[in-house]
Amino acid sequence: MKKIFFLIFLISTFYSIAFCDENSEIFYQALISLPKDKRPSVGLALSGGGARAFAHVGIIEVLKYASFPIDYAAGTSMGAAVGAFYCAGLENEKLWEFGEKMKERKVGKDFSNAKIIKLMLSGSFIDPFYIRQFADSELKDKKFSDLKIPFACVAMDINTGEKIVFTKGELALAVKASVNLPGIFEPIPYGSKSLVDGGVVEFLPVEPLKDMKADWIVSSVTEAKIASAPKNVVSALMQVIDIRGGLLAKQSKKESDFIFSPEVSDISVSDFNKSTQAAERALIYGASKIDSLKEAYTVYSVKKIFENKVKE
């Protein structure tokens, strides 16, 4: 009993002094210097959103600058692509080059008017040539086991509606499946399954992080603003996916411990010419939230460590 009262005294003393400006950074630095098994593990969830989701690059840069620990990551759709590069250990400038390369490789051409007309007239799927080319050239022969941070990405079997979570095997295949828009791009064969974009079943992949045993979850969410009626079949399908994603994200956000929501809702799924603009906005926004993130994680960690000590 004396031990419990002493621990309560310590924790109350911590709260009274820790978050004075001069002390908060000291506590935070002490916390993140601990080995992973001595502090709560952190998972990073990266939502879908097409070109909007490049905002994750700005958030990741803020996290890196603050030396904020990320022990696990999970991504859906374009969040899977950004997450794969991040977990592979790419430097910040390489992540920004990712957005520039998407423009150079004309990924947006997979949504060109000519391809939309083909979809409408023939009823056949659009071939996402530029997206496939980009994933194959950048991820090459990488496997999940090659990554520096454990990573998961989400796809869906369109035959059954089953959620497919990749955590091992060929990385390029998993990313291509996760960004493969249903009803627009041809499903990717995977054994007896036919895989499409995971955003239909899990727009913000918090659950895979829990399965990976992350204690504390940071989410980066890039939802759409539905402001007008769709102009063609493709934009209608993408708007439906955006609406579905927003509905799914509501529950996932409730299960997150901290949420970054940069304002990029005006950027469409297919507007990859604005991908770096999305990241720039997120960088400014993320910088304004980083102190709140560090404080929230430190408070949670002290509470968790205290609870563990009481159980001993």
Side-chain angles (χ1 to χ4, degrees):
M1 182 64 69
K2 288 182 178 180
K3 181 179 180 181
I4 292 176
F5 280 126
F6 177 67
L7 288 170
I8 292 172
F9 169 75
L10 287 179
I11 200 74
S12 61
T13 301
F14 168 82
Y15 281 122
S16 67
I17 67 173
F19 295 107
C20 298
D21 288 341
E22 61 271 21
N23 294 325
S24 60
E25 188 65 21
I26 295 173
F27 278 99
Y28 170 70
Q29 292 298 332
L31 175 63
I32 64 173
S33 67
L34 293 174
K36 177 181 171 181
D37 61 343
K38 299 297 183 182
R39 58 166 176 79
S41 60
V42 180
L44 175 63
L46 304 174
S47 75
R52 284 193 309 276
F54 195 70
H56 300 319
V57 172
I59 298 300
I60 287 170
E61 179 157 340
V62 169
L63 294 174
K64 284 186 173 183
Y65 183 79
S67 299
F68 193 84
I70 298 297
D71 304 299
Y72 307 98
T76 294
S77 196
M78 190 54 66
V82 173
F85 285 111
Y86 168 59
C87 292
L90 266 68
E91 296 298 324
N92 289 351
E93 57 268 22
K94 291 292 184 182
L95 288 172
W96 286 88
E97 285 177 17
F98 172 32
E100 293 298 330
K101 285 183 178 179
M102 285 198 291
K103 287 193 288 185
E104 291 170 9
R105 292 175 183 269
K106 302 175 182 176
V107 170
K109 280 195 171 183
D110 285 328
F111 304 91
S112 67
N113 289 333
K115 290 193 172 186
I116 291 171
I117 291 170
K118 178 183 176 182
L119 175 69
M120 295 174 65
L121 295 179
S122 68
S124 60
F125 290 110
I126 292 175
D127 176 18
F129 172 78
Y130 293 98
I131 292 176
R132 285 193 293 103
Q133 183 186 56
F134 181 81
D136 288 335
S137 64
E138 298 300 322
L139 298 175
K140 296 180 180 177
D141 300 321
K142 285 189 181 295
K143 298 186 182 300
F144 280 84
S145 57
D146 298 325
L147 301 177
K148 295 185 178 181
I149 297 173
F151 177 62
C153 74
V154 182
M156 183 188 79
D157 179 6
I158 202 166
N159 296 329
T160 63
E162 177 188 3
K163 179 173 69 176
I164 307 296
V165 180
F166 286 94
T167 57
K168 59 183 179 181
E170 184 184 337
L171 192 58
L173 171 66
V175 170
K176 285 186 291 185
S178 191
V179 303
N180 200 44
L181 290 170
I184 299 174
F185 299 150
E186 186 171 1
I188 293 176
Y190 182 69
S192 62
K193 305 179 189 301
S194 299
L195 302 183
V196 297
D197 195 311
V200 180
V201 286
E202 190 152 25
F203 183 77
L204 180 62
V206 167
E207 189 174 328
L209 292 172
K210 291 186 174 183
D211 293 340
M212 297 166 85
K213 307 304 180 186
D215 297 310
W216 204 74
I217 295 173
V218 179
S219 290
S220 179
V221 191
T222 57
E223 295 177 82
K225 177 171 63 180
I226 309 300
S228 61
K231 298 177 180 178
N232 54 55
V233 172
V234 172
S235 62
L237 285 169
M238 289 192 290
Q239 187 154 305
V240 168
I241 293 169
D242 276 338
I243 292 170
R244 170 70 173 164
L247 294 172
L248 291 172
K250 287 183 179 180
Q251 182 58 38
S252 295
K253 286 192 287 188
K254 290 178 183 177
E255 297 172 358
S256 303
D257 297 288
F258 192 91
I259 300 170
F260 286 107
S261 299
E263 180 45 61
V264 291
S265 61
D266 59 309
I267 297 175
S268 74
V269 168
S270 60
D271 196 356
F272 288 98
N273 286 330
K274 292 183 179 178
S275 55
T276 51
Q277 182 184 128
E280 288 165 357
R281 290 188 202 174
L283 181 64
I284 296 169
Y285 164 85
S288 72
K289 298 293 183 181
I290 195 64
D291 286 342
S292 297
L293 172 72
K294 293 193 291 186
E295 180 176 334
Y297 177 60
T298 304
V299 168
Y300 172 85
S301 298
V302 171
K303 179 182 176 183
K304 193 76 172 177
I305 292 169
F306 167 67
E307 290 174 348
N308 291 338
K309 287 292 184 183
V310 170
K311 291 177 183 178
E312 289 179 0

